[in-house]
Amino acid sequence: MAAPHVIVIGAGSTGAATAHDLALRGLRVTVLERGEIANCTTGRNHCLLHSGGRYCVKDQESAIECIDENLILRRIMPDAMELNGGLFVALNEADLAFREKFIEGCEQCHIPYREVPVKRALEMEPFLNPGLLAAVQVPDGVFEPFRFCLAFLATARHNGAVVRTYTEVTELARAGQFITGVKVLDHRTGKTQEIGADLVVNATGPWAGRIAEMGGVEVPVAPTAGVMVTVDQRLCNLVINRMDKPADGDIVVPQRLTSIIGTTSWAILDPDQIEIPKAHIEKMIQKGRELIPAIQRRVTRGVGAAARPLIRKANTDEREVSRTFECFDHQRDGVDGFVTISGGKTTTARAMAEKAADVVCAKLGQRAECATRTTPLLSYRLFYN
Amino acid sequence: MAIQVPIKVFRYRPGTAPHFERYQVTVPDDATVIDVIEGVWAEHDRNFMFRHACHHASCGTCAVRLNGYERLPCIVPVTEALAGRQELVVEPLRNFPLVGDLVVDVAGFFQKQAASGLVITRAAEATLSGQPFAHSELFSQAGALEERAYNRFENCIECGICISACPTMAATDKFWGPAALAGIRRATLTTGDCQEKAALLALADSEQGVWRCHSAFECTESCPQDVDPGGAIMSLRREIVGRKVKHLFGAG
Ligand SMILES: Cc1cc2nc3c(=O)[nH]c(=O)nc-3n(C[C@H](O)[C@H](O)[C@H](O)COP(=O)(O)OP(=O)(O)OC[C@H]3O[C@@H](n4cnc5c(N)ncnc54)[C@H](O)[C@@H]3O)c2cc1C
Ligand code: SF4
């Protein structure tokens, strides 16, 4: 008997990692993506392979997810990352007061850290604000989002998955309480087509609510936008973070010959229409300069924005919402054969995939353990083989 | 301030005749050309096909021909692209199979890129904007501290711009092309293994290799990342010839 067929909608980090996990467990997988791989949130994120340091005080569940996944990804995806670490720096008395909590948080979340004397920090990072009062190093890293997704998808394809880009899901096919497949518009040909499936996974990030709606169910995903400003100079080797609870413009991520300053956070309605407030760009430069005074507006290279697929909880302030993920089996809403995986981060994509694939396999009676923790990924370039 | 940008874009689907269509797109005055291209999709035609991801010249997906020259639209300000012109003209890269509208098939290109085996990270240079930086103690793969060089991504973002600009690529597909040869050159510099280096040089010396290049240097001229593929090809030629000469005199 042929293995069950699963459709994964979306080829951002969540869909890419989910396709890989499912293919590795022996399922037949088809990925449907309306545009290029990683053309949305994943492609335009801050590229930070989180150590968890950013969340270790306020959101320890996320912090632990981050460090666990960080240490796994280092081993399975060596070729699409800069593994230089990150520094959390205190610039004023308030930051300094946060230091103890920060270190306690690192310990509670088993994040490796070391305190770096100020003089040494300035030797490591000569462009850092010379007035810094304390620095702590953690294993942050930098990934390249497009290639991050390609690596998962290259491996998925190697294990039999089919990846169709420029193929937009327009409807979900339904028979009684079952989702039986999808209707797509293939932009390459302009033709519509129905594709049957034993199960459909909704991995569309901030669009998850829209796809869920097609299936007649609701998911509490709140698209929350953020801006990043890239300057045309590499001014640090490590990721530079402000030692404080997460706030606007408190990270500078180096990438190639550039530095990316981020980010802000505001709720939006339509993730396809993000208008970047000019004030946010100025704020990034201004806050970035507190960390690295050499940052200048005139060498801005690119400005981007994307929408986080945050899971809405009772709480309303988007900075306070947990950055963890959730998998929804819509059977609980009376619709079977339909699963949504959303929230989370690119850093935790593999763990999200594991959770989604566990649910999918249980539903389909596919008995297979998750093997993605230890399976090395293929080179991203092999996606095109 | 919002501005209206007139744009003329290449439209194509397999089995239909390629043609241009004109649109007006509204963007903020500090937008880049990728915002205008995205605007064609968002404001006018949700079937319009284009590639994009990072919007800061790192993924390499969005390369097109803008006003007749290969560019990364994500880092070209609209005002600069419009200076002295009535409208923007956007076409897909040349020397790649067309898929639809601005999208080209990059599979063959990435297969060639894979030939060098070059990993996209490398040890960071000893200086950063001219300033030296100290040796580093970094967390290892297992999360323990170890001494190791800082690393960073290679400059080449595999955007395909040099392929589109290269006159040799226009004449034949049987050429590694500027980016892959630049990759082979980088790999010869980073490998410590003599055999591997010899194999890389043999690749560069092959029928598809450096001798097909007409030294037009269009690649170096158009590369948005200062990779200088033309220079890499010349270096490979010198090294290959040097080895042959040595060999001829029995020193190899
Ligand atoms: C500003 C910002 C900065 C961030 N920084 C970081 C960071 O530094 N590190 C980190 O780990 N995480 C970061 N994140 C979080 C991370 O980017 C997201 O959690 C992650 O990218 C979500 O991935 P996804 O695959 O779920 O969604 P997406 O990447 O948005 O993918 C969803 C995909 O679904 C597709 N799709 C939608 N509708 C359809 C349809 N009808 N048919 C077919 N396909 C469809 C879309 O085209 C899209 O490609 C950041 C997020 C934001 C907003
Ligand atoms: S060498 Fe330059 S132009 Fe060619 S693919 Fe690389 S970055 Fe693009």
Side-chain angles (χ1 to χ4, degrees), chain B residues 10 18 39 41 53 55 78 127-128 140 142 147 156 169 198 205 227 246:
Chain B
F10 182 90
W41 173 83
H55 292 204
V78 175
T127 61
L128 180 69
S140 71
E147 211 168 289
C156 175
M169 291 298 316
D205 193 21
V227 171
K246 254 192 187 169

Side-chain angles (χ1 to χ4, degrees), chain A residues 13 35 43 47 52-53 59 73 80 94 211 227 240 242 245 258 373 378:
Chain A
S13 52
C47 311
D59 185 0
L73 288 173
I211 299 289
V227 167
I240 307 295
R242 186 81 180 248
K245 54 182 194 300
T258 66
R373 280 166 193 268
L378 296 179

Side-chain angles (χ1 to χ4, degrees), chain A residues 33-60:
Chain A
E33 164 56 57
R34 66 175 181 166
E36 177 56 275
I37 309 289
N39 77 90
C40 291
T41 320
T42 305
R44 274 188 292 300
N45 76 19
H46 208 167
C47 311
L48 172 64
L49 177 70
H50 284 268
S51 62
R54 186 167 170 76
Y55 304 117
C56 71
V57 175
K58 296 284 285 188
D59 185 0
Q60 295 202 334

Side-chain angles (χ1 to χ4, degrees), chain B:
Chain B
M1 199 182 69
I3 52 170
Q4 289 269 321
V5 182
I7 176 171
K8 186 173 115 179
V9 231
F10 182 90
R11 299 300 308 259
Y12 164 79
R13 283 295 182 279
T16 67
H19 62 284
F20 282 95
E21 263 174 52
R22 291 192 154 85
Y23 304 94
Q24 291 269 344
V25 176
T26 312
V27 291
D29 55 0
D30 59 354
T32 55
V33 175
I34 194 68
D35 300 318
V36 182
I37 293 173
E38 198 176 2
V40 171
W41 173 83
E43 286 180 40
H44 296 283
D45 184 359
R46 292 281 171 131
N47 291 315
F48 176 57
M49 290 171 68
F50 66 108
R51 303 179 68 217
H52 71 139
C54 75
H55 292 204
H56 62 245
S58 179
C59 67
T61 61
C62 71
V64 289
R65 295 209 308 138
L66 170 64
N67 303 335
Y69 296 97
E70 283 76 12
R71 290 281 185 276
L72 289 176
C74 65
I75 51 170
V76 181
V78 175
T79 44
E80 191 183 306
L82 263 181
R85 308 182 57 90
Q86 299 297 319
E87 61 185 1
L88 303 181
V89 181
V90 179
E91 300 161 88
L93 293 182
R94 290 182 295 201
N95 309 332
F96 285 89
L98 293 175
V99 174
D101 299 334
L102 299 179
V103 177
V104 295
D105 183 354
V106 294
F109 170 65
F110 272 91
Q111 284 159 16
K112 286 178 180 166
Q113 288 300 102
S116 66
L118 180 69
V119 286
I120 56 160
T121 48
R122 72 194 216 196
E125 291 77 4
T127 61
L128 180 69
S129 305
Q131 283 195 260
F133 58 81
H135 77 99
S136 58
E137 241 174 71
L138 297 170
F139 291 97
S140 71
Q141 291 196 340
L145 280 171
E146 64 172 9
E147 211 168 289
R148 150 167 75 79
Y150 291 108
N151 75 354
R152 72 171 187 83
F153 290 125
E154 283 288 343
N155 280 353
C156 175
I157 55 173
E158 302 173 306
C159 64
I161 276 181
C162 54
I163 306 300
S164 178
C166 170
T168 308
M169 291 298 316
T172 174
D173 186 40
K174 304 232 166 338
F175 177 42
W176 286 119
L181 287 168
I184 289 174
R185 166 75 178 156
R186 287 271 322 140
T188 63
L189 296 176
T190 49
T191 179
D193 181 319
C194 295
Q195 274 188 342
E196 196 179 306
K197 184 162 177 179
L200 286 164
L201 288 173
L203 264 186
D205 193 21
S206 69
E207 210 197 325
Q208 299 198 38
V210 290
W211 310 108
R212 293 230 173 206
C213 165
H214 301 163
S215 315
F217 279 91
E218 297 287 348
C219 52
T220 293
E221 189 68 20
S222 60
C223 172
Q225 292 288 105
D226 295 331
V227 171
D228 187 14
I233 292 171
M234 296 310 128
S235 302
L236 283 169
R237 283 185 178 173
R238 275 194 298 275
E239 179 139 16
I240 291 164
V241 171
R243 287 196 165 209
K244 284 187 180 159
V245 171
K246 254 192 187 169
H247 192 68
L248 211 58
F249 291 97

Side-chain angles (χ1 to χ4, degrees), chain A residues 4-10 18 22 27-32 169-175 177-184 194-204 208 211-212 214-215 217 219 327-331 335-341 356-357 359-361 363-364:
Chain A
H5 179 221
V6 179
I7 286 175
V8 177
I9 314 175
T18 303
L22 293 171
L27 292 164
R28 284 186 301 135
V29 178
T30 303
V31 180
L32 302 172
V169 172
T170 54
E171 278 173 48
L172 297 185
R174 196 169 163 166
Q177 71 188 69
F178 280 92
I179 298 294
T180 56
V182 300
K183 195 168 184 183
V184 297
E194 276 187 37
I195 309 174
D198 296 294
L199 194 143
V200 174
V201 178
N202 171 14
T204 53
I211 299 289
M214 292 179 190
V217 296
V219 291
C327 182
F328 304 92
D329 177 352
H330 296 298
Q331 197 173 357
V335 177
D336 210 354
F338 187 34
V339 167
T340 294
I341 175 76
V359 171
V360 170
C361 286
K363 290 180 73 68
L364 295 173

Side-chain angles (χ1 to χ4, degrees), chain A residues 215-232:
Chain A
V217 296
E218 257 185 64
V219 291
V221 171
T224 309
V227 167
M228 275 125 330
V229 175
T230 304
V231 292
D232 214 352

